[in-house]
């Protein structure tokens, strides 16, 4: 066999062609894998357009309200997707959390402005005679302070849950806030029932003093004397206090009932049969969502009004706090703010002189020291 020798020119051409082929393959081969992948996906996408995934149909049915299996027991067993949750969250995080807390700050501003312009409502009497009238019993005061202190705890923890994420993370950090948020929920859930009892006691104890009368209309016509030096007539409670009482009674009961509706499923509380007719108490998530929005709206509005009440009871009115602290008010204070009540007390021999201005124990001798 004879071998023809390759010419050097042909050898060179072959070498160039080989090099070009290697380069072309080096570029095309990696890209080829992409095109294979793309072709495959396209095929899957075409399948998906024509074939319906049975799982999607299942979840569509679940969203439409069909139940399923869940590992939890209780009222929510079998509920896989709680309809309305997104809508509830948009309302809660939207208008409720964004705008309502400003009402509280607005009330602080109003109170501050009033105090700067008008100042404290002082007693006209230059000197106190030492004669006093019993206004609040030991039980009245205990109920008031337990309810008031619980209210403050609930307001702070409630606001922490509603808007704390934005306000407190910069201060406490994410871990610190997570701890505080958890603590807030526990405090809120434990203090809530104590507060609710306080509200019920307040209503039972004080409703008798708070029915409106004609005297209240005149009191309101004169702005309660808050913008002048007038002292409009009032019985045991004046018009403004009566309004505050009815806010506590109506909004208070609303806040407590909506709070209870949220507690029922959380602690799986049994609902007594006599309450079953109340449409809201069925312990399901949609009812909890409605209860939550109502609870937040009412309690934020109430907290704003409470700022006004706390101001009037402390820095706003000389001598009012003393009444809720010791149970007694000076006769001068009573005549200035509740003249009709003071007259009745004097007529019934209820004006007393105490050994010690603040000591409640000496108040037990009031009968023997009565000067009226
Ligand atoms: C923590 C701050 C509070 C202070 C300093 C305060 C102070 C007072 C004072 C001095 C009185 C007596 C007024 C008078 O003798 O005429 C009073 C009455 C009253 N307070 Fe408060 N209070 C506070 C919080 C609250 C809260 C949070 C509530 C409701 C949850 C509340 C509900 C009431 C009610 C219902 C009355 C009786 C009003 C009536 O019968 O018309 N207080 N408060």
């Amino acid at each position: 066999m004879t071998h023809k020798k390759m010419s050097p020119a042909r050898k060179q051409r072959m070498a160039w062609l080989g090099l070009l082929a290697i380069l072309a393959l080096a570029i095309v081969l990696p890209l080829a894998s992409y095109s294979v992948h793309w072709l495959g996906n396209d095929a899957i996408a075409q399948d998906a357009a024509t074939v319906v995934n049975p799982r999607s149909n299942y979840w569509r049915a679940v969203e439409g309200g069909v139940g399923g299996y869940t590992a939890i027991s209780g009222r929510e067993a079998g509920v896989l997707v709680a309809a309305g949750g997104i809508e509830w969250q948009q309302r809660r995080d939207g208008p409720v959390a964004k705008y309502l807390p400003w009402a509280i700050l607005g009330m602080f501003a109003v109170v501050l402005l009033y105090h700067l312009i008008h100042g404290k409502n002082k007693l006209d009497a230059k000197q106190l005679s030492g004669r006093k009238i019993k206004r609040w019993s030991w039980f009245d005061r205990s109920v008031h302070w337990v309810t008031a202190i619980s209210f403050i705890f609930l307001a702070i923890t409630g606001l922490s849950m509603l808007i704390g994420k934005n306000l407190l993370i910069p201060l406490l950090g994410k871990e610190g806030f997570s701890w505080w948020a958890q603590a807030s929920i526990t405090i809120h859930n434990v203090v809530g029932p104590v507060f609710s009892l306080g509200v019920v006691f307040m209503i039972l104890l004080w409703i008798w003093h708070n029915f409106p009368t004609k005297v209240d209309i005149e009191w309101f016509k004169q702005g309660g004397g808050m913008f002048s030096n007038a002292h409009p007539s009032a019985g045991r409670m004046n018009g403004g206090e009566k309004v505050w009482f009815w806010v506590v009674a109506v909004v208070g009961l609303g806040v407590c009932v909506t709070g209870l509706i949220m507690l029922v499923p959380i602690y799986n509380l049994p609902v007594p049969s006599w309450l079953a007719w109340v449409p809201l108490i069925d312990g399901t998530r949609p009812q909890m969502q409605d209860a939550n929005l109502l609870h937040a709206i009412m309690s934020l509005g109430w907290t704003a009004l409470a700022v006004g009440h706390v101001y009037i009871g402390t820095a706003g009115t000389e001598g009012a706090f003393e009444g809720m602290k010791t149970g007694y008010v000076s006769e001068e204070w009573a005549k200035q703010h509740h003249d009709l009540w003071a007259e009745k007390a004097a007529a019934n021999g209820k004006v007393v002189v105490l050994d010690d201005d603040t000591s409640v124990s000496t108040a037990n001798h009031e009968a023997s020291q009565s000067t009226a």
Side-chain angles (χ1 to χ4, degrees):
M1 244 174 49
T2 53
H3 288 285
K4 243 187 172 179
K5 261 195 163 181
M6 223 186 270
S7 69
R10 193 176 153 82
K11 261 188 191 167
Q12 205 175 22
R13 236 185 0 255
M14 291 297 284
W16 277 114
L17 275 174
L19 200 65
L20 273 174
I22 291 168
L23 269 176
L25 283 173
I27 294 168
V28 169
L29 278 180
L31 291 178
S33 70
Y34 286 110
S35 47
V36 169
H37 186 73
W38 176 73
L39 282 173
N41 270 357
D42 196 42
I44 292 167
Q46 275 176 8
D47 273 359
T50 48
V51 181
V52 177
N53 182 350
R55 284 191 193 168
S56 321
N57 273 346
Y58 179 68
W59 286 106
R60 259 180 224 120
V62 165
E63 275 172 14
V66 171
Y69 170 76
T70 58
I72 57 155
S73 56
R75 287 181 181 81
E76 297 212 301
V79 179
L80 299 181
V81 172
I86 294 171
E87 211 177 301
W88 160 76
Q89 194 171 22
Q90 280 167 351
R91 285 192 187 140
R92 176 198 182 266
D93 294 349
V96 174
K98 268 192 196 145
Y99 305 123
L100 280 180
W102 289 102
I104 302 170
L105 271 186
M107 193 55 119
F108 271 112
V110 168
V111 158
L112 189 69
L113 204 68
Y114 176 83
H115 196 73
L116 290 175
I117 295 172
H118 188 274
K120 197 176 200 137
N121 281 302
K122 291 205 163 150
L123 281 179
D124 289 344
K126 294 282 165 275
Q127 245 192 335
L128 296 181
S129 63
R131 288 153 60 89
K132 300 199 174 230
I133 304 174
K134 183 145 193 182
R135 187 158 171 79
W136 303 106
S137 72
W138 173 87
F139 192 61
D140 284 328
R141 283 176 286 137
S142 307
V143 167
H144 180 269
W145 290 121
V146 168
T147 316
I149 292 167
S150 322
F151 186 98
I152 293 168
F153 272 95
L154 291 167
I156 293 171
T157 51
L159 281 169
S160 298
M161 288 187 266
L162 189 69
I163 53 172
K165 207 162 67 175
N166 297 332
L167 288 182
L168 298 177
I169 289 181
L171 284 175
L172 306 176
K174 281 190 178 164
E175 271 183 31
F177 176 68
S178 155
W179 181 88
W180 172 242
Q182 194 53 52
S184 292
I185 294 172
T186 310
I187 295 171
H188 208 83
N189 288 352
V190 171
V191 175
V194 176
F195 173 76
S196 305
L197 268 182
V199 168
V200 171
F201 270 114
M202 276 186 169
I203 296 171
L204 295 175
L205 285 172
W206 301 335
I207 192 167
W208 323 105
H209 316 310
N210 284 289
F211 293 113
T213 63
K214 277 187 193 153
V215 178
D216 303 325
I217 298 173
E218 194 47 43
W219 188 91
F220 279 114
K221 277 189 187 160
Q222 296 192 38
M226 286 193 70
F227 306 98
S228 62
N229 289 324
H231 301 306
S233 261
R236 192 184 195 291
M237 308 314 295
N238 64 38
E241 286 171 325
K242 288 181 184 178
V243 168
W244 173 239
F245 170 84
W246 287 107
V247 167
V248 171
V250 176
V251 180
L253 281 184
V255 168
C256 297
V257 169
T258 47
L260 191 70
I261 288 169
M262 288 186 278
L263 278 185
V264 164
I266 292 174
Y267 294 108
N268 214 5
L269 301 175
V271 178
S273 53
W274 56 270
L275 270 181
W277 62 272
V278 182
L280 277 170
I281 304 189
D282 68 3
T284 57
R285 208 163 283 262
Q287 273 78 24
M288 284 174 81
Q289 286 154 0
D290 290 344
N292 174 278
L293 291 178
L294 280 173
H295 188 80
I297 293 167
M298 286 189 290
S299 45
L300 287 172
W302 191 12
T303 307
L305 294 178
V307 171
H309 171 72
V310 174
Y311 167 72
I312 294 172
T314 52
T317 319
E318 189 176 3
F321 188 79
E322 184 199 332
M324 227 358 137
K325 186 176 151 213
T326 66
Y328 288 85
V329 291
S330 66
E331 191 181 27
E332 291 75 11
W333 183 90
K335 280 183 177 166
Q336 185 166 319
H337 296 290
H338 300 272
D339 54 344
L340 304 176
W341 174 70
E343 271 169 28
K344 240 190 201 168
N348 292 334
K350 297 261 173 75
V351 182
V352 297
V353 177
L354 304 175
D355 297 337
D356 172 350
D357 263 1
T358 50
S359 165
V360 180
S361 60
T362 49
N364 295 332
H365 304 300
E366 68 188 69
S368 60
Q369 291 170 333
S370 172
T371 56

